[in-house]
Amino acid sequence: MLVRAITAPGLRRWCRGRRGAAAACFPLGRALLGVRGADAAVFLQGLLTNDVTQLVAAGDAPPALYAHALNVQGRCLYDVILYRLHGSTAEEPHILLECDSSVLDSIQKHLKLYKIRRKVTIAPCPDLSLWAVIPGEQPGDASSLPKCADPALLLTPDPRAEVMGWRLIAKKGANLSEIIPGSQVGDVQDYHRHRYKQGIPEGVKDLPPGVALPLESNLAFLNGISFSKGCYIGQELTARTHHMGVIRKRLLPVSFQEPLPAAGIPEGAEILTEAGKRAGKFRAGGGELGIALLRLAHANEPLCVNLGGDSVKLRATTPQWWPKAAAK
């Protein structure tokens, strides 16, 4: 097998904004779970929001997919990214599942509960490491990303949005400067700040299990759902919401405009308008940046969080990567 390095024109355009900067590689605390066997894609198809059969289709199959696993009430349990490791339809399907490391045990139990007699093996991959790569632009830039390297590697654009760069899977202890020449290891907090600035949720803090709704969490904008695939757990409410076309709340990036309390903004803090109306809830963040579930009717108004009698002002923005119709 070779590294799958997909050169996306959109990524090249985005990289031009970082001219002269080296690619930054961020070590992620996410876990990787191997799902392998003849029934791997069909098995996952009934548990996830996206069309997993694309990963085993003949022809130009995508190297990665984003999806949510939902409960029977249609609320998010786990956000995952799937990676295709097999090279062709002639090989046994081999899919890597990326998830929040804090739910690794529970997602294994969830998968094994529905495995029944499927020809599938499910096992963690502790020998692999996961990195986010935010490309810079040097001479050659995106074309300098490797076309082939260690057979254990996979390098692909993040399937959620172009602004999230690339995902890299490597052997533990691999030398990143050999995989991506000139790259630098970055502080993972900078990666999360970048995520929050773009309004990209990731993990259980941003998407509380059993609480977050997929369409309010912008799953359709993030290429994470198929509305034409067959049935899957939690589909009924999601499909009904989509076809009704009424989504009153969405996750939005927020920034705080005043010095924050030493303890920061607590997760789940209620967000109010200046008139005292409930506008939504703060999910999570880092420093002055964060992500919040807000009523769209109040998203453009001055907002605040009341903490111990003090009012901390914040502002919500609409991400530029959103579909233009959604930004109106």
Side-chain angles (χ1 to χ4, degrees):
M1 288 192 299
L2 300 178
V3 167
R4 296 169 181 84
I6 316 300
T7 303
L11 277 175
R12 284 204 193 98
R13 291 194 300 271
W14 180 63
C15 289
R16 293 190 188 113
R18 307 183 73 248
R19 185 176 301 277
C25 300
F26 301 97
L28 302 182
R30 307 264 287 174
L32 291 168
L33 193 64
V35 181
R36 190 168 194 166
D39 295 335
V42 175
F43 165 61
L44 292 172
Q45 181 78 340
L47 299 176
L48 299 175
T49 56
N50 216 333
D51 185 0
V52 184
T53 60
Q54 294 179 75
L55 293 176
V56 293
D60 192 18
L65 288 175
Y66 179 57
H68 285 184
L70 309 180
N71 62 16
V72 293
Q73 288 80 32
R75 296 180 181 270
C76 178
L77 290 176
Y78 315 106
D79 63 306
V80 302
I81 298 179
L82 305 175
Y83 303 95
R84 174 175 53 86
L85 288 191
H86 56 278
S88 70
T89 54
E91 296 181 37
E92 179 183 67
H94 188 186
I95 297 170
L96 277 185
L97 184 151
E98 171 196 327
C99 65
D100 190 310
S101 58
S102 69
V103 298
L104 178 60
D105 289 342
S106 61
I107 198 170
Q108 286 184 83
K109 292 176 183 176
H110 179 75
L111 294 176
K112 290 177 180 178
L113 178 66
Y114 293 96
K115 179 183 172 184
I116 313 176
R117 293 185 179 87
R118 299 282 191 186
K119 295 178 180 178
V120 174
T121 59
I122 302 166
C125 303
D127 59 327
L128 297 178
S129 60
L130 176 70
W131 299 77
V133 181
I134 306 299
E137 181 164 311
Q138 295 176 326
D141 187 48
S143 62
S144 69
L145 289 168
K147 297 298 185 290
C148 62
D150 189 311
L153 303 176
L154 185 144
L155 177 65
T156 180
D158 190 309
R160 297 171 296 182
E162 290 181 359
V163 293
M164 290 308 297
W166 300 63
R167 276 310 207 244
L168 169 67
I169 298 172
K171 285 282 188 181
K172 280 278 176 69
N175 188 338
L176 291 188
S177 63
E178 293 179 0
I179 300 171
I180 305 177
S183 62
Q184 300 175 351
V185 176
D187 185 336
V188 71
Q189 295 306 317
D190 290 335
Y191 164 77
H192 292 304
R193 286 176 58 82
H194 174 68
R195 269 200 315 107
Y196 287 131
K197 188 174 182 180
Q198 299 298 336
I200 307 284
E202 186 176 287
V204 296
K205 289 186 177 181
D206 299 346
L207 300 165
V211 174
L213 288 166
L215 299 185
E216 289 183 352
S217 304
N218 304 323
L219 188 62
F221 296 172
L222 293 164
N223 309 305
I225 189 167
S226 169
F227 294 108
S228 59
K229 65 177 279 187
C231 295
Y232 58 90
I233 295 173
Q235 179 196 26
E236 185 176 353
L237 175 62
T238 307
R240 188 188 313 133
T241 303
H242 168 69
H243 291 300
M244 287 176 63
V246 179
I247 301 173
R248 294 186 173 87
K249 293 183 286 186
R250 285 193 181 274
L251 284 182
L252 288 166
V254 296
S255 58
F256 292 91
Q257 299 173 305
E258 295 182 357
L260 300 182
I265 306 298
E267 295 165 12
E270 190 166 61
I271 297 174
L272 306 172
T273 66
E274 284 189 328
K277 293 182 179 179
R278 295 178 178 177
K281 288 189 176 182
F282 179 70
R283 281 280 174 80
E288 78 282 9
L289 299 175
I291 195 167
L293 182 68
L294 294 172
R295 296 183 183 277
L296 296 177
H298 299 307
N300 295 322
E301 299 179 26
L303 302 171
C304 66
V305 173
N306 290 329
L307 299 173
D310 294 327
S311 179
V312 182
K313 294 182 180 180
L314 68 147
R315 179 174 61 92
T317 55
T318 300
Q320 291 185 355
W321 59 266
W322 274 21
K324 285 185 170 55
K328 294 179 181 179

